[in-house]
Amino acid sequence: VSTEQAIGWDPITGEVTKSITTDPTFSSKLSETILAYTNSAYSTMGAKSVDPSNKNMLTAPLKTTVLAGNIIQGSDGQLKEGEFYKMIAGTKTTWRQSIPKRVFDNTTNSYITQSMSVPDWKPFKTYVFNGDVNDANWKETGEPTLFNKRNLITETKSVGNRFSASKLGYDQQYTLCSASDAKYAEFTFSSFEDQETVASGLVHFGGEVTKGDLRRSTAIPHTGKYSAKVPGGTIGPGYYSKGLTVGRSYRASVWVHIGSSDNAALVVALNGTVNGAAIPPKTILKSNPSNITVGEWILMTITIDVPFNYVSGSGPIDLSVYLQNSGVDAYFDDFMFRPVDAVIQGNVIDETTGRVLATLDNQNFATKYEYDKSGKLYKVCVESPVDGLKLRTKYTYNFKRPVN
């Protein structure tokens, strides 16, 4: 039977920082954690009882190591450190007080990434032991690369320079959409459910989608409770961003109601140049025969390539994906933009209960969830271009009556 004996403690919290684990053959491992606040670079993470301006982040780790070796059992029966000759594991975390933050810039009327100071320390880069006892040479495993307005991590970079990100909506309470193998600026999703005031008198949808004032309750939303109503002769909600990857393909899609104008359109435009020339925008109309009809909704999709010789413009916006309408009123729902080779999921949430009403997959097809009056899930339906909206699972709940 393996045993563990603590041999080191933090003087403030009393937490174990050093211990020996040994098996019956007296092979042993020495585990040690160095807390960040004990390092002079992070001294302000220390106890408020020492300095009221400190952050009291007393359990935040700087480095952990595991060494293999042997132990000595003293005459009193207690285990003592023997010779620990080989490091077999380790991790290191660095910290920072200035973070890249996603904010809306009212001056340029666009979302930008800005370095901002935060009151507490935030994790920066993480490293893992790779055979070299010098932690300066350990392998970097990842880092948070972007934070939202609530200082929550929204984008991370892992080994191989691969990114994953998520966007929060519904007053930053729930995940609106998430994507792997994509940067934060490379994707979005909006079911036109949640609204956010980004500046005085300016309302957007979650996911950095504009014109949140066009949310309208309808009897037939594609998912959720709302859709976006775009009157004739107007530009509807859109996603305007910068930070696409050259040589990558992207796909925009949206559902439009069958009763909308045939001129209801989805438009994608790159605002940079190729060989000094502007790139014509791509547009697809509701009347396009390549569209997919499921019930009373029509899916419009555009794929656009960003050439390797694409040159980004100097302004804050490099991509424009938006809805427009030149006919009678048009109703749109479930607006998505993503890299073709990324994996994305959009979420439609009941803002009152927090329940998931639907999820949207890579192709923007829905899985819908229905609940009974007590809030239990009782029906799951899946949408496809072949079967339409089809029941996949139905739940029944049976409760045993108590015996008198």
Side-chain angles (χ1 to χ4, degrees), residues 150-179:
R150 293 194 175 185
N151 298 335
L152 300 174
I153 297 170
T154 57
E155 179 188 82
T156 59
K157 181 176 70 172
S158 61
V159 178
N161 210 35
R162 297 181 67 176
F163 288 82
S164 60
S166 60
K167 296 190 175 185
L168 299 184
Y170 305 90
D171 195 30
Q172 304 292 298
Q173 296 183 84
Y174 307 113
T175 300
L176 184 67
C177 54
S178 57

Side-chain angles (χ1 to χ4, degrees), residues 46-347:
K48 286 185 176 291
S49 59
V50 175
D51 185 334
S53 65
N54 283 348
K55 305 303 179 184
N56 232 42
M57 299 175 66
L58 302 176
T59 60
L62 175 61
K63 185 169 76 169
T64 63
T65 55
V66 180
L67 278 71
N70 53 46
I71 62 169
I72 298 171
Q73 188 171 24
S75 58
D76 58 358
Q78 294 297 307
L79 303 177
K80 300 179 174 20
E81 291 185 46
E83 182 183 359
F84 289 93
Y85 54 86
K86 183 180 181 181
M87 184 179 293
I88 59 173
T91 60
K92 184 175 74 171
T93 302
T94 58
W95 299 80
R96 59 182 169 182
Q97 283 188 296
S98 180
I99 59 174
K101 204 168 178 180
R102 195 69 170 176
V103 296
F104 180 77
D105 180 21
N106 203 27
T107 303
T108 60
N109 195 33
S110 62
Y111 290 90
I112 62 172
T113 299
Q114 191 174 72
S115 180
M116 302 181 72
S117 297
V118 290
D120 293 329
W121 290 86
K122 295 293 181 182
F124 189 22
K125 296 183 179 182
T126 56
Y127 302 84
V128 66
F129 172 70
N130 60 353
D132 192 329
V133 296
N134 184 355
D135 62 28
N137 299 324
W138 288 3
K139 183 178 181 180
E140 183 180 339
T141 58
E143 64 176 290
T145 48
L146 193 63
F147 294 76
N148 70 359
K149 68 179 184 179
R150 293 194 175 185
N151 298 335
L152 300 174
I153 297 170
T154 57
E155 179 188 82
T156 59
K157 181 176 70 172
S158 61
V159 178
N161 210 35
R162 297 181 67 176
F163 288 82
S164 60
S166 60
K167 296 190 175 185
L168 299 184
Y170 305 90
D171 195 30
Q172 304 292 298
Q173 296 183 84
Y174 307 113
T175 300
L176 184 67
C177 54
S178 57
S180 56
D181 289 325
K183 297 178 182 178
Y184 183 91
E186 290 185 295
F187 71 96
T188 196
F189 169 79
S190 178
S191 188
F192 307 125
E193 301 285 319
D194 66 319
Q195 297 171 301
E196 181 178 359
T197 300
V198 296
S200 179
L202 185 61
V203 178
H204 284 183
F205 292 107
E208 301 186 359
V209 175
T210 63
K211 297 200 172 181
D213 56 309
L214 293 181
R215 184 178 82 168
R216 293 291 185 272
S217 177
T218 69
I220 44 170
H222 179 248
T223 62
K225 300 177 180 179
Y226 298 95
S227 62
K229 178 183 177 182
V230 180
T234 61
I235 300 294
Y239 179 60
Y240 303 89
S241 187
K242 187 165 188 171
L244 301 184
T245 302
V246 296
R248 203 171 193 186
S249 298
Y250 295 83
R251 184 165 294 153
S253 59
V254 70
W255 291 87
V256 59
H257 190 258
I258 199 167
S260 301
S261 164
D262 283 345
N263 292 321
L266 171 64
V267 182
V268 181
L270 297 176
N271 302 335
T273 59
V274 172
N275 297 325
I279 303 172
K282 281 191 170 185
T283 302
I284 188 169
L285 299 176
K286 169 180 169 276
S287 56
N288 192 299
S290 68
N291 293 333
I292 297 173
T293 301
V294 178
E296 295 186 328
W297 288 88
I298 298 171
L299 180 63
M300 303 191 295
T301 302
I302 293 177
T303 300
I304 190 166
D305 302 321
V306 181
F308 282 102
N309 57 346
Y310 176 76
V311 178
S312 175
S314 59
I317 295 171
D318 213 32
L319 165 76
S320 301
V321 187
Y322 58 92
L323 311 174
Q324 71 177 19
N325 178 29
S326 60
V328 298
D329 291 347
Y331 289 87
F332 297 91
D333 206 357
D334 296 323
F335 173 69
M336 180 181 286
F337 179 78
R338 66 176 180 89
V340 169
D341 56 347
V343 177
I344 188 173
Q345 178 175 295
N347 299 313

